[in-house]
Amino acid sequence: MNIQEFIKRGDQVIMPTYSRFPIVFDYGDGCILTDIEGKEYIDCVGGIAVNCLGYNHTGLNHVIEEQIHKMLHVSNLYWNVPMITAAEKLVKLSGLDKAFFCNSGAEANEAAMKLARIYAKLYKSEDATEIIAMQDSFHGRTYAAITATGQPKYQKNLSPLMPDITHVKFNDFEALGKAVEKHNCAAILLEPIQGEGGIYPAEKEYLKKVRKLCDDQNIVLIFDEVQCGIGRTGKFFAYQHYGIKPDVVSFAKGIAGGVPMGGILACDRVAQVFTPGTHASTFGANPLATSAANYILDTVGNPEFLQEVSEKSQYFVQKLSKLKEVNPHIKDIRGKGLMIGVEIDENISDVINQCIQSGLLVCGAGHSTIRFVPPLIISKEEIDQTVQLFAKSL
Ligand SMILES: *Cc1c(COP(=O)(O)O)cnc(C)c1O
């Protein structure tokens, strides 16, 4: 059966919520993905920042294999060992106090918003319900998460959305201050580096002011690190570049290297309002996912590994900057670590399709930015090849 035949069958039975590229993948190894006809691609999408150790990673495979022979799942009515060790590691890496586990980024943000609203009701006032989020943000597809997402194109025909979520311009402290004066706020929610919106990092001064505003007004500060967390930027969490801490951080994507998992971490002051019955997840803290997470936390959380991510980032950005000098279509290079956005003045789908033709997977972010979020294990040779193929495609 060839690729076209599989796609035809897929079209008949899969809801077309994605405009998928006409590729059917079979397997991967390291940073290379192979389709069912044997064509190879260098993968700078990495499952959109999920496959942080690439494909077919020996150590991760081993841990997962061991766990499937023990138990795939056990209820949250009981404890399991990997959930406890994963939470301990996350607490240590984040500087926060308590974890809650679920299965995806959207669910993690749901948990964060529920936690913040409960906290505000109990420790601020009955009507402190407003959540202020950012324009051009992305927080996921469930109802609260899509309401918090500051991009109207994702909210079409879904009204009424969840009440009491407002959007302000990102990196604009004055706009945020005005919104906080106008509403009785439970929480401020933002991505330290906006991902889907186009790879826009928060400014340092801005985040410091936001932190202080939240302290002064008893507002829960939530960082969505679903994309920029888990070593992606060269620190385990992106906020660690800024010298501040949120009250709650959400994570998912890379946390279990490709096994579906999400979660939040919070400081004790806020976390204590989640008591038995306030929130739950059947699959959350599932031992298959949390044992994979343990391996990722040990590997990616290692300072030497994070240092390598920063070095590879420097190398990558240097190569892209050289390309920018000779290619007038490149307008800007943004990001941190191995979360890199290259803004171009050409149609991004044309460039993405050209890259695919030549054996390189990249994806878009925002209207005019090509996003590189490769496995964190990408080699310098693979970075060289990536930049070459990208240059040719431009
Ligand atoms: C991908 C993403 C989400 C949604 O995660 P899902 O696992 O698809 O629900 C939320 N926030 C950010 C910043 C993301 O990049």
Side-chain angles (χ1 to χ4, degrees), residues 50-71:
V50 169
N51 296 68
C52 51
L53 298 183
Y55 300 87
N56 195 25
H57 187 281
T58 310
L60 180 60
N61 285 359
H62 182 71
V63 163
I64 292 171
E65 273 162 26
E66 266 190 347
Q67 186 58 46
I68 66 177
H69 292 290
K70 290 181 135 183
M71 57 181 172

Side-chain angles (χ1 to χ4, degrees), residues 149-213:
T149 292
Q151 302 190 55
K153 67 176 179 188
Y154 293 125
Q155 299 169 335
K156 246 174 34 198
N157 297 329
L158 290 175
S159 62
L161 294 167
M162 219 189 58
D164 298 359
I165 300 187
T166 322
H167 296 94
V168 297
K169 198 167 161 226
F170 186 49
N171 269 329
D172 181 343
F173 187 73
E174 212 182 295
L176 181 64
K178 276 191 192 142
V180 166
E181 261 172 45
K182 192 165 153 210
H183 302 282
N184 199 348
C185 280
I188 293 172
L189 166 63
L190 63 86
E191 299 156 85
I193 303 179
Q194 288 192 331
E196 302 302 313
I199 315 292
Y200 289 99
E203 282 154 23
K204 199 165 197 165
E205 279 315 299
Y206 172 75
L207 274 202
K208 288 198 157 155
K209 284 187 199 161
V210 175
R211 176 68 273 179
K212 183 161 186 313
L213 179 69

Side-chain angles (χ1 to χ4, degrees), residues 57-281:
H57 187 281
T58 310
L60 180 60
N61 285 359
H62 182 71
V63 163
I64 292 171
E65 273 162 26
E66 266 190 347
Q67 186 58 46
I68 66 177
H69 292 290
K70 290 181 135 183
M71 57 181 172
L72 285 176
H73 180 76
V74 69
S75 170
N76 275 307
L77 296 171
Y78 318 99
W79 296 93
N80 70 70
V81 176
M83 78 186 265
I84 297 168
T85 51
E88 284 171 346
K89 288 169 195 172
L90 278 161
V91 161
K92 206 163 167 201
L93 285 163
S94 65
L96 294 165
D97 301 312
K98 297 270 193 315
F100 171 83
F101 294 128
C102 52
N103 315 287
S104 68
E107 275 178 78
N109 288 325
E110 293 284 328
M113 287 187 269
K114 280 178 72 175
L115 182 70
R117 279 203 172 156
I118 297 171
Y119 174 84
K121 278 249 190 293
L122 295 176
Y123 291 97
K124 197 167 176 183
S125 68
E126 184 64 24
D127 61 352
T129 52
E130 197 77 18
I131 295 170
I132 300 181
M134 301 296 144
Q135 290 166 6
D136 297 319
S137 60
F138 185 82
H139 300 296
R141 301 295 196 144
T142 55
Y143 250 103
I146 207 64
T147 306
T149 292
Q151 302 190 55
K153 67 176 179 188
Y154 293 125
Q155 299 169 335
K156 246 174 34 198
N157 297 329
L158 290 175
S159 62
L161 294 167
M162 219 189 58
D164 298 359
I165 300 187
T166 322
H167 296 94
V168 297
K169 198 167 161 226
F170 186 49
N171 269 329
D172 181 343
F173 187 73
E174 212 182 295
L176 181 64
K178 276 191 192 142
V180 166
E181 261 172 45
K182 192 165 153 210
H183 302 282
N184 199 348
C185 280
I188 293 172
L189 166 63
L190 63 86
E191 299 156 85
I193 303 179
Q194 288 192 331
E196 302 302 313
I199 315 292
Y200 289 99
E203 282 154 23
K204 199 165 197 165
E205 279 315 299
Y206 172 75
L207 274 202
K208 288 198 157 155
K209 284 187 199 161
V210 175
R211 176 68 273 179
K212 183 161 186 313
L213 179 69
C214 289
D215 289 339
D216 292 346
Q217 308 243 3
N218 196 16
I219 297 169
V220 177
L221 180 57
I222 307 169
F223 286 168
D224 176 347
E225 295 227 10
V226 169
Q227 190 160 157
C228 63
I230 321 298
R232 180 55 48 191
T233 67
K235 302 259 189 205
F236 196 78
F237 285 109
Y239 65 76
Q240 290 162 335
H241 290 281
Y242 292 87
I244 53 146
K245 249 186 341 196
D247 301 306
V248 184
V249 64
S250 59
F251 56 86
K253 292 200 163 93
I255 179 67
V259 180
M261 181 172 165
I264 59 172
L265 288 151
C267 63
D268 271 328
R269 177 177 52 86
V270 177
Q272 47 129 358
V273 305
F274 264 3
T275 52
T278 46
H279 197 50
S281 166

